PDB file of all heavy atoms in Angstrom:
ATOM      1  N   MET A1083     -17.589   9.129 -64.305  1.00  0.00           N
ATOM      2  CA  MET A1083     -16.212   9.094 -63.898  1.00  0.00           C
ATOM      3  C   MET A1083     -15.227   8.987 -65.086  1.00  0.00           C
ATOM      4  O   MET A1083     -15.164   7.910 -65.765  1.00  0.00           O
ATOM      5  CB  MET A1083     -15.899   7.833 -62.958  1.00  0.00           C
ATOM      6  CG  MET A1083     -16.742   7.946 -61.601  1.00  0.00           C
ATOM      7  SD  MET A1083     -16.409   6.493 -60.585  1.00  0.00           S
ATOM      8  CE  MET A1083     -14.737   6.847 -60.076  1.00  0.00           C
ATOM      9  N   LYS A1084     -14.767  10.119 -65.558  1.00  0.00           N
ATOM     10  CA  LYS A1084     -13.886  10.158 -66.690  1.00  0.00           C
ATOM     11  C   LYS A1084     -14.429   9.500 -67.977  1.00  0.00           C
ATOM     12  O   LYS A1084     -13.922   8.796 -68.837  1.00  0.00           O
ATOM     13  CB  LYS A1084     -12.522   9.497 -66.346  1.00  0.00           C
ATOM     14  CG  LYS A1084     -11.646  10.337 -65.478  1.00  0.00           C
ATOM     15  CD  LYS A1084     -10.210   9.696 -65.353  1.00  0.00           C
ATOM     16  CE  LYS A1084      -9.479  10.542 -64.448  1.00  0.00           C
ATOM     17  NZ  LYS A1084      -8.035   9.945 -64.318  1.00  0.00           N
ATOM     18  N   GLY A1085     -15.806   9.984 -68.218  1.00  0.00           N
ATOM     19  CA  GLY A1085     -16.545   9.429 -69.266  1.00  0.00           C
ATOM     20  C   GLY A1085     -17.238   8.138 -69.067  1.00  0.00           C
ATOM     21  O   GLY A1085     -18.093   7.687 -70.044  1.00  0.00           O
ATOM     22  N   ASP A1086     -16.900   7.343 -68.017  1.00  0.00           N
ATOM     23  CA  ASP A1086     -17.598   6.092 -67.746  1.00  0.00           C
ATOM     24  C   ASP A1086     -18.908   6.432 -67.014  1.00  0.00           C
ATOM     25  O   ASP A1086     -18.905   7.129 -66.048  1.00  0.00           O
ATOM     26  CB  ASP A1086     -16.648   5.208 -66.928  1.00  0.00           C
ATOM     27  CG  ASP A1086     -15.449   4.820 -67.751  1.00  0.00           C
ATOM     28  OD1 ASP A1086     -15.441   4.938 -68.938  1.00  0.00           O
ATOM     29  OD2 ASP A1086     -14.472   4.560 -66.993  1.00  0.00           O
ATOM     30  N   PRO A1087     -20.017   5.661 -67.456  1.00  0.00           N
ATOM     31  CA  PRO A1087     -21.288   5.945 -66.839  1.00  0.00           C
ATOM     32  C   PRO A1087     -21.331   5.204 -65.463  1.00  0.00           C
ATOM     33  O   PRO A1087     -20.619   4.298 -65.221  1.00  0.00           O
ATOM     34  CB  PRO A1087     -22.272   5.468 -67.772  1.00  0.00           C
ATOM     35  CG  PRO A1087     -21.497   4.387 -68.596  1.00  0.00           C
ATOM     36  CD  PRO A1087     -20.132   4.951 -68.755  1.00  0.00           C
ATOM     37  N   VAL A1088     -22.206   5.685 -64.645  1.00  0.00           N
ATOM     38  CA  VAL A1088     -22.382   5.146 -63.198  1.00  0.00           C
ATOM     39  C   VAL A1088     -23.710   4.657 -63.207  1.00  0.00           C
ATOM     40  O   VAL A1088     -24.749   5.347 -63.370  1.00  0.00           O
ATOM     41  CB  VAL A1088     -22.035   6.124 -62.161  1.00  0.00           C
ATOM     42  CG1 VAL A1088     -22.284   5.483 -60.782  1.00  0.00           C
ATOM     43  CG2 VAL A1088     -20.509   6.552 -62.328  1.00  0.00           C
ATOM     44  N   ILE A1089     -24.035   3.378 -62.750  1.00  0.00           N
ATOM     45  CA  ILE A1089     -25.244   2.725 -62.497  1.00  0.00           C
ATOM     46  C   ILE A1089     -25.250   2.467 -60.964  1.00  0.00           C
ATOM     47  O   ILE A1089     -24.179   2.502 -60.255  1.00  0.00           O
ATOM     48  CB  ILE A1089     -25.613   1.616 -63.277  1.00  0.00           C
ATOM     49  CG1 ILE A1089     -24.581   0.512 -62.921  1.00  0.00           C
ATOM     50  CG2 ILE A1089     -25.609   1.963 -64.826  1.00  0.00           C
ATOM     51  CD1 ILE A1089     -24.848  -0.813 -63.717  1.00  0.00           C
ATOM     52  N   TYR A1090     -26.387   1.933 -60.461  1.00  0.00           N
ATOM     53  CA  TYR A1090     -26.630   1.655 -59.034  1.00  0.00           C
ATOM     54  C   TYR A1090     -27.256   0.374 -58.755  1.00  0.00           C
ATOM     55  O   TYR A1090     -27.969  -0.009 -59.592  1.00  0.00           O
ATOM     56  CB  TYR A1090     -27.568   2.742 -58.409  1.00  0.00           C
ATOM     57  CG  TYR A1090     -27.090   4.173 -58.619  1.00  0.00           C
ATOM     58  CD1 TYR A1090     -27.628   4.874 -59.703  1.00  0.00           C
ATOM     59  CD2 TYR A1090     -26.034   4.874 -57.903  1.00  0.00           C
ATOM     60  CE1 TYR A1090     -27.076   6.213 -59.967  1.00  0.00           C
ATOM     61  CE2 TYR A1090     -25.578   6.085 -58.307  1.00  0.00           C
ATOM     62  CZ  TYR A1090     -26.210   6.749 -59.285  1.00  0.00           C
ATOM     63  OH  TYR A1090     -25.741   8.183 -59.530  1.00  0.00           O
ATOM     64  N   CYS A1091     -26.946  -0.126 -57.691  1.00  0.00           N
ATOM     65  CA  CYS A1091     -27.437  -1.464 -57.243  1.00  0.00           C
ATOM     66  C   CYS A1091     -27.984  -1.335 -55.860  1.00  0.00           C
ATOM     67  O   CYS A1091     -27.381  -0.975 -54.838  1.00  0.00           O
ATOM     68  CB  CYS A1091     -26.347  -2.543 -57.273  1.00  0.00           C
ATOM     69  SG  CYS A1091     -26.797  -4.228 -56.668  1.00  0.00           S
ATOM     70  N   LEU A1092     -29.373  -1.679 -55.788  1.00  0.00           N
ATOM     71  CA  LEU A1092     -30.063  -1.512 -54.446  1.00  0.00           C
ATOM     72  C   LEU A1092     -30.391  -2.903 -53.968  1.00  0.00           C
ATOM     73  O   LEU A1092     -30.913  -3.822 -54.653  1.00  0.00           O
ATOM     74  CB  LEU A1092     -31.504  -0.769 -54.721  1.00  0.00           C
ATOM     75  CG  LEU A1092     -32.253  -0.672 -53.519  1.00  0.00           C
ATOM     76  CD1 LEU A1092     -31.629   0.112 -52.424  1.00  0.00           C
ATOM     77  CD2 LEU A1092     -33.706  -0.097 -53.771  1.00  0.00           C
ATOM     78  N   GLN A1093     -30.005  -3.237 -52.733  1.00  0.00           N
ATOM     79  CA  GLN A1093     -30.243  -4.528 -52.007  1.00  0.00           C
ATOM     80  C   GLN A1093     -31.177  -4.236 -50.812  1.00  0.00           C
ATOM     81  O   GLN A1093     -31.163  -3.245 -50.219  1.00  0.00           O
ATOM     82  CB  GLN A1093     -28.983  -5.122 -51.512  1.00  0.00           C
ATOM     83  CG  GLN A1093     -28.012  -5.518 -52.733  1.00  0.00           C
ATOM     84  CD  GLN A1093     -26.807  -6.327 -52.101  1.00  0.00           C
ATOM     85  OE1 GLN A1093     -26.590  -6.313 -51.013  1.00  0.00           O
ATOM     86  NE2 GLN A1093     -25.948  -6.825 -53.147  1.00  0.00           N
ATOM     87  N   SER A1094     -31.963  -5.198 -50.449  1.00  0.00           N
ATOM     88  CA  SER A1094     -32.862  -5.306 -49.310  1.00  0.00           C
ATOM     89  C   SER A1094     -32.787  -6.528 -48.574  1.00  0.00           C
ATOM     90  O   SER A1094     -32.422  -7.622 -49.109  1.00  0.00           O
ATOM     91  CB  SER A1094     -34.301  -4.971 -49.674  1.00  0.00           C
ATOM     92  OG  SER A1094     -34.833  -6.128 -50.398  1.00  0.00           O
ATOM     93  N   MET A1095     -33.003  -6.482 -47.237  1.00  0.00           N
ATOM     94  CA  MET A1095     -33.030  -7.656 -46.352  1.00  0.00           C
ATOM     95  C   MET A1095     -34.295  -7.567 -45.567  1.00  0.00           C
ATOM     96  O   MET A1095     -34.713  -6.607 -44.888  1.00  0.00           O
ATOM     97  CB  MET A1095     -31.882  -7.691 -45.445  1.00  0.00           C
ATOM     98  CG  MET A1095     -31.718  -8.858 -44.582  1.00  0.00           C
ATOM     99  SD  MET A1095     -30.289  -9.044 -43.603  1.00  0.00           S
ATOM    100  CE  MET A1095     -30.632  -7.566 -42.400  1.00  0.00           C
ATOM    101  N   GLN A1096     -35.059  -8.792 -45.582  1.00  0.00           N
ATOM    102  CA  GLN A1096     -36.419  -8.876 -44.934  1.00  0.00           C
ATOM    103  C   GLN A1096     -36.119  -9.733 -43.754  1.00  0.00           C
ATOM    104  O   GLN A1096     -35.811 -10.931 -43.899  1.00  0.00           O
ATOM    105  CB  GLN A1096     -37.439  -9.407 -45.913  1.00  0.00           C
ATOM    106  CG  GLN A1096     -38.868  -9.598 -45.272  1.00  0.00           C
ATOM    107  CD  GLN A1096     -39.784 -10.181 -46.262  1.00  0.00           C
ATOM    108  OE1 GLN A1096     -39.432 -10.351 -47.300  1.00  0.00           O
ATOM    109  NE2 GLN A1096     -41.179 -10.301 -45.781  1.00  0.00           N
TER     110      GLN A1096
END
Side-chain angles (χ1 to χ4, degrees):
M1083 302 179 65
K1084 291 188 176 182
D1086 295 338
V1088 177
I1089 63 175
Y1090 307 95
C1091 177
L1092 177 65
Q1093 292 184 352
S1094 69
M1095 182 176 67
Q1096 184 175 0

